[in-house]
Amino acid sequence: MRDATSGARGSGAPPPRSLQPRAAVPGASPSPARPSGPSRPRRIGRALTPLLWLGPSIALIAVVVLWPVVEMVRTSLQKISSSGVTLGGSGSRNYSDLFDEDAFLAVVGRTLLWVAGVVVVTMLLSLALGQLLNARFPGRRVVRWTVIVPWAASVLMTALIWKWMLDNYSGLVNRVLLDLNVIDQPVNWLAHPHQAMLWMMWVAVFVSLPFTSFVILAGLQTIPEDVYEAARVDGAGAVRAYFGITLPLLRPAILIASIINVINVFNSFPIIWAMTGGGPGHATDTTTTFMYKIAFYDQNVGESAAMAVVNFALILVMVLLYLRASRWREEVR
Amino acid sequence: MKRHLMGAIAAGLTLALGVSGCGKGSSSKGDDSDGKTIKFVAAIYSDNTKPFWDSLIKDFEAKNSGYKVQLEMVDWTQMDAKVKTYVQTKQVPDVLNYNSFSDFARDGLIYKASEVVSPQVLGDFTPTFTAQAKYNGEQYGLPFISSARLLFYNKDLLKKAGIAEPPKTWAEVKADAQKIKSKGSTGYGLPLGPEEAQAEFYSWAMNNGGGWVDASGKWTINQQPNIDTLNFLRDLTKSGLTQPNPETTDRKTVFNQFAQGKIGMAIGGPFTKASFIDPANKDLNFGVTSLPSKSGTEHNTLGVMDVLAAFKKNDGKNKEAVTKFLDFFYQKDNTSKFLTKEGFLPVTSSAGAALSADPYMKQFVDALPTSKFAPTSNPAWTAVAGAVKQSLGTSVAGSQPKKVLDEIQKTAEKSG
């Protein structure tokens, strides 16, 4: 009612709408407690205005992100029969079962090593690759395209190709090493946990390189040439310029690339599943493949959901710790 | 302005809800309020499977006007995940082709066999398989195909090693494997990788008096005969008589090597020739004999059975259509056509005679009466088999057999 009587809408007398809020804010902010000023519904309406623009993305996040998380947590607290029927609540039983698994701690430890190893190596190689791709040389376009290829190919396909290259009987890797007399009999690479882990980490690095080096490349291209010129005038050499200028200015790019890589590598399923299936036993499982095995080998969907929740918490903690360590707030400014 | 805003939000929400609502509505609408359209989820056994069902369903629909069968083919590697999703989202098919049924029966999801096939069909099932299709004394599963295991041996390699007869006892297996190895080939191909470790292990254990359960149905996975069996297989491996790393090897690798004439002996099924040996080497000179046993006196074979299960839906409205379809499939001509195409063994008496004409298949049909089965009528079996697949292989590598079996026993008891 009051909205209608104020009659502002039809008359055209008030200033253009875009100015209206701005005029109101300085008056309202020093003394927010004062009830006067624009009418209450009007203020609520104004406060809700951003919702119009934010609404769709909030709805999207709620449906695509929050809802599955809620479902995941809910499932982890339920008892679910092997056929898939929900049999009711189970309290924290799924969690205690999970923590009682003999392989649990080893799998978590291995996952952290896997993430750290893959991401660190990927970042180091990508810094070099980014530099190469940024340099001017004939055929640069071809090289840039080539670097994209592992990214364009399906990860599963890449993993399967590597699996066959590492095959005990007919693998290319054994053939080459035998011909070079590096080894004197075929090695069953993927059957030995340590070797298998190293090879899979290499494949993970291989498929992470394109994205990472292109982020680095984009970062490199934002660094203005005159900064380097000034450094040269001041007598800085190439090494000094790299550590004094390039690296610090690349920090936002490195930060973004490594966070996305941490999440990707942590959740990486196809490489391990295709190459070793997490075996022998649980010797090459990460939490992601372990979670799958609990659901589909052990037929325990509830416990698997508990593993998913732990997984989710782990990655959240890892990313937060990383952001904290790298003082990301400074980047936002 | 406010009203516009609220209107927009309301409209947006309505749209969003409407869209998701529609999604749900249409998918549940897809099945059959009239009970004449049924959904059949079939497993892919080979390239022949889909054409078979396509033509069978066409035939069925022509002879039963008004009834429709929607076919969905699922690969075995996807099957477990799919089935769980169907059940959890309450979108179960009317008929499912799967390798277990007892947990569906326990949870009251499927019809009893007598409710969905005619008495003639029910009587046609071979008693061995009917026994495997029961849960709590009632038959729920409909036996679909069966399979048995025998020892495959490469005649040329055995001859080269100076072995006249394939081995009957475990001691002979080891001695023969040694002779084959001394001529430069692998003695025995042992697939204990996650693919089907439970089948390979049981093929040995049952011929040493071992097994999964005792007479009363209690889990006895860590019993002494089983430990001895694993110790024997571990000894074969550690003596270098098997291919390297049995714990990560699956059947495909073993039979690929076998087909190339690099492995002397391995355990295979009726499908082994068509799916593994022929594609790699049609001219392989191999023979098939009963599974070796520790004593050499009694030779059992591993029986395997897949089933059809009919799900309860719409308060039983689907029962009539399901019965019509199942009775149609279990006609002699239809079942035996499927079995010949796929290289499996019959589960009905009527289809049995047709298959015995082929001398290769006859050996397996003849072995069926001695077959022992995994305890598939126990709902916990799938979880136990899962635990076996994951960890049994490690007993011939890093871990000790007793410890591995103790762990699996623990899992089994926990699962019920």
Side-chain angles (χ1 to χ4, degrees):
Chain A
M1 269 317 270
R2 290 194 53 155
D3 197 34
T5 48
S6 60
R9 211 185 318 152
S11 70
R17 197 169 291 150
S18 60
L19 285 180
Q20 204 176 6
R22 208 171 283 181
V25 167
S29 56
S31 52
R34 208 173 45 164
S36 72
S39 63
R40 180 176 288 267
R42 211 163 231 272
R43 270 189 299 142
I44 294 175
R46 205 168 287 140
L48 285 178
T49 313
L51 260 187
L52 188 59
W53 288 277
L54 291 177
S57 39
I58 290 178
L60 198 70
I61 290 173
V63 171
V64 179
V65 180
L66 294 180
W67 184 32
V69 170
V70 171
E71 274 297 308
M72 175 174 79
V73 175
R74 213 168 61 94
T75 310
S76 77
L77 297 172
Q78 278 175 336
K79 188 171 163 56
I80 292 170
S81 123
S82 55
S83 69
V85 174
T86 305
L87 302 174
S90 71
S92 60
R93 176 75 189 278
N94 287 327
Y95 288 90
S96 57
D97 279 354
L98 175 68
F99 299 141
D100 279 349
E101 295 274 353
D102 285 337
F104 179 72
L105 281 181
V107 167
V108 171
R110 191 174 309 111
T111 309
L112 298 179
L113 275 180
W114 154 264
V115 173
V118 172
V119 173
V120 168
V121 175
T122 304
M123 291 313 299
L124 291 178
L125 288 179
S126 299
L127 282 172
L129 259 178
Q131 211 71 40
L132 173 76
L133 296 179
N134 198 32
R136 284 174 201 283
F137 58 91
R140 180 171 74 167
R141 182 181 300 224
V142 177
V143 174
R144 281 189 180 176
W145 276 103
T146 320
V147 173
I148 294 191
V149 170
W151 196 8
S154 125
V155 176
L156 184 62
M157 197 177 87
T158 314
L160 283 174
I161 290 175
W162 276 98
K163 182 187 172 164
W164 285 113
M165 284 168 61
L166 293 167
D167 186 66
N168 184 34
Y169 302 99
S170 38
L172 188 68
V173 171
N174 275 338
R175 191 70 266 152
V176 170
L177 292 179
L178 282 171
D179 288 350
L180 291 175
N181 289 324
V182 179
I183 51 178
D184 49 8
Q185 56 178 347
V187 178
N188 201 354
W189 298 104
L190 296 177
H192 305 286
H194 292 292
Q195 293 164 6
M197 217 55 215
L198 289 176
W199 276 112
M200 292 194 297
M201 285 168 96
W202 157 244
V203 175
V205 167
F206 180 75
V207 299
S208 312
L209 278 179
F211 167 75
T212 320
S213 43
F214 273 81
V215 172
I216 300 286
L217 174 63
L220 284 173
Q221 286 174 345
T222 62
I223 303 175
E225 192 52 39
D226 39 353
V227 185
Y228 288 106
E229 225 175 280
R232 260 200 304 279
V233 172
D234 288 347
V239 176
R240 185 76 203 279
Y242 186 77
F243 285 100
I245 298 171
T246 315
L247 266 189
L249 288 178
L250 270 183
R251 228 170 66 150
I254 294 176
L255 196 64
I256 292 296
S258 38
I259 289 180
I260 292 182
N261 269 326
V262 163
I263 296 173
N264 269 346
V265 172
F266 190 92
N267 287 326
S268 174
F269 178 78
I271 296 175
I272 297 176
W273 196 250
M275 290 178 71
T276 65
H282 290 296
T284 57
D285 267 327
T286 64
T287 46
T288 315
T289 53
F290 191 53
M291 173 171 73
Y292 185 88
K293 283 183 174 180
I294 295 175
F296 294 113
Y297 278 146
D298 300 338
Q299 305 283 314
N300 198 334
V301 174
E303 190 182 329
S304 180
M307 182 73 243
V309 172
V310 172
N311 228 351
F312 186 69
L314 270 177
I315 195 153
L316 219 59
V317 168
M318 271 163 69
V319 170
L320 287 179
L321 282 179
Y322 183 79
L323 287 178
R324 207 195 154 119
S326 56
R327 293 186 299 254
W328 70 295
R329 276 171 213 288
E330 290 170 20
E331 305 308 330
V332 172
R333 237 174 255 153
Chain B
M1 178 182 129
K2 194 189 87 180
R3 224 176 261 153
H4 271 211
L5 176 66
M6 286 313 207
I9 291 173
L13 277 177
T14 317
L15 194 69
L17 288 175
V19 167
S20 56
C22 272
K24 206 149 210 166
S26 63
S27 60
S28 60
K29 185 96 182 166
D31 46 61
D32 50 302
S33 27
D34 60 346
K36 286 194 160 187
T37 301
I38 60 171
K39 187 175 166 195
F40 173 40
V41 171
I44 300 173
Y45 290 93
S46 75
D47 292 343
N48 297 323
T49 320
K50 189 169 187 304
F52 171 82
W53 287 120
D54 279 339
S55 80
L56 182 106
I57 287 169
K58 213 173 141 194
D59 206 10
F60 170 77
E61 286 173 352
K63 286 181 182 150
N64 298 274
S65 66
Y67 291 90
K68 287 242 172 305
V69 179
Q70 296 170 344
L71 177 67
E72 184 179 340
M73 303 295 302
V74 179
D75 194 80
W76 272 117
T77 55
Q78 304 294 319
M79 201 58 154
D80 290 347
K82 280 256 186 187
V83 170
K84 275 209 178 48
T85 316
Y86 291 141
V87 175
Q88 276 202 306
T89 55
K90 302 196 166 53
Q91 308 255 328
V92 288
D94 298 86
V95 180
L96 172 70
N97 165 201
Y98 199 40
N99 54 16
S100 77
F101 66 94
S102 45
D103 46 359
F104 303 137
R106 179 197 58 201
D107 296 338
L109 299 172
I110 56 176
Y111 290 116
K112 284 179 194 150
S114 57
E115 294 176 281
V116 285
V117 288
S118 67
Q120 289 92 313
V121 171
L122 213 53
D124 196 21
F125 292 127
T126 321
T128 337
F129 298 112
T130 309
Q132 294 303 315
K134 285 184 176 169
Y135 172 72
N136 267 355
E138 283 278 357
Q139 183 184 350
Y140 284 86
L142 302 160
F144 176 61
I145 52 119
S146 69
S147 183
R149 298 292 151 95
L150 292 172
L151 184 73
F152 284 61
Y153 58 95
N154 183 319
K155 288 184 177 168
D156 293 343
L157 284 184
L158 259 66
K159 207 169 147 196
K160 203 168 109 190
I163 305 162
E165 286 283 307
K168 292 275 169 239
T169 67
W170 287 11
E172 284 169 22
V173 169
K174 190 177 174 191
D176 289 355
Q178 242 145 7
K179 288 182 198 157
I180 296 168
K181 190 199 172 192
S182 66
K183 299 289 175 192
S185 304
T186 300
Y188 179 73
L190 178 64
L192 276 188
E195 186 212 20
E196 244 204 340
Q198 83 283 11
E200 177 75 19
F201 166 71
Y202 192 33
S203 300
W204 287 97
M206 67 167 66
N207 284 305
N208 185 33
W212 306 109
V213 289
D214 64 11
S216 68
K218 281 213 175 62
W219 295 108
T220 52
I221 296 165
N222 55 356
Q223 59 176 304
Q224 196 57 39
N226 287 355
I227 299 173
D228 295 343
T229 305
L230 275 188
N231 279 326
F232 172 73
L233 296 177
R234 183 182 168 87
D235 176 44
L236 280 187
T237 311
K238 296 286 177 196
S239 314
L241 302 177
T242 64
Q243 85 286 2
N245 305 105
E247 71 277 15
T248 60
T249 313
D250 55 23
R251 288 179 296 178
K252 194 177 175 167
T253 312
V254 164
F255 273 98
N256 196 351
Q257 295 290 307
F258 183 82
Q260 293 176 39
K262 293 179 181 162
I263 288 182
M265 302 171 281
I267 294 177
F271 52 86
T272 302
K273 185 175 186 297
S275 350
F276 295 119
I277 299 180
D278 285 352
N281 179 8
K282 257 191 177 335
D283 306 321
L284 188 76
N285 185 15
F286 71 94
V288 173
T289 185
S290 51
L291 296 180
S293 66
K294 182 143 191 206
S295 61
T297 47
E298 192 195 344
H299 302 278
N300 296 308
T301 187
L302 173 74
V304 178
M305 176 182 83
D306 287 349
V307 291
L308 297 178
F311 282 85
K312 294 179 187 166
K313 265 171 105 172
N314 302 345
D315 303 320
K317 256 197 204 158
N318 64 343
K319 208 193 271 180
E320 195 204 338
V322 166
T323 309
K324 272 194 190 306
F325 179 65
L326 289 174
D327 281 346
F328 186 76
F329 168 71
Y330 279 110
Q331 288 173 12
K332 184 183 135 198
D333 293 345
N334 291 336
T335 38
S336 54
K337 192 170 154 202
F338 185 82
L339 296 171
T340 2
K341 282 207 165 165
E342 301 287 359
F344 285 111
L345 305 181
V347 289
T348 53
S349 330
S350 59
L355 266 119
S356 296
D358 178 349
Y360 169 79
M361 290 307 257
K362 186 172 184 301
Q363 304 173 84
F364 291 94
V365 177
D366 290 349
L368 273 180
T370 66
S371 52
K372 290 187 177 225
F373 293 82
T376 44
S377 53
N378 186 326
W381 166 247
T382 321
V384 174
V388 173
K389 287 177 185 180
Q390 289 178 77
S391 63
L392 190 86
T394 58
S395 65
V396 298
S399 315
Q400 283 303 317
K402 180 162 185 345
K403 189 169 167 283
V404 172
L405 291 175
D406 282 345
E407 276 297 314
I408 299 172
Q409 172 80 14
K410 219 173 80 189
T411 310
E413 283 168 6
K414 200 174 90 182
S415 312

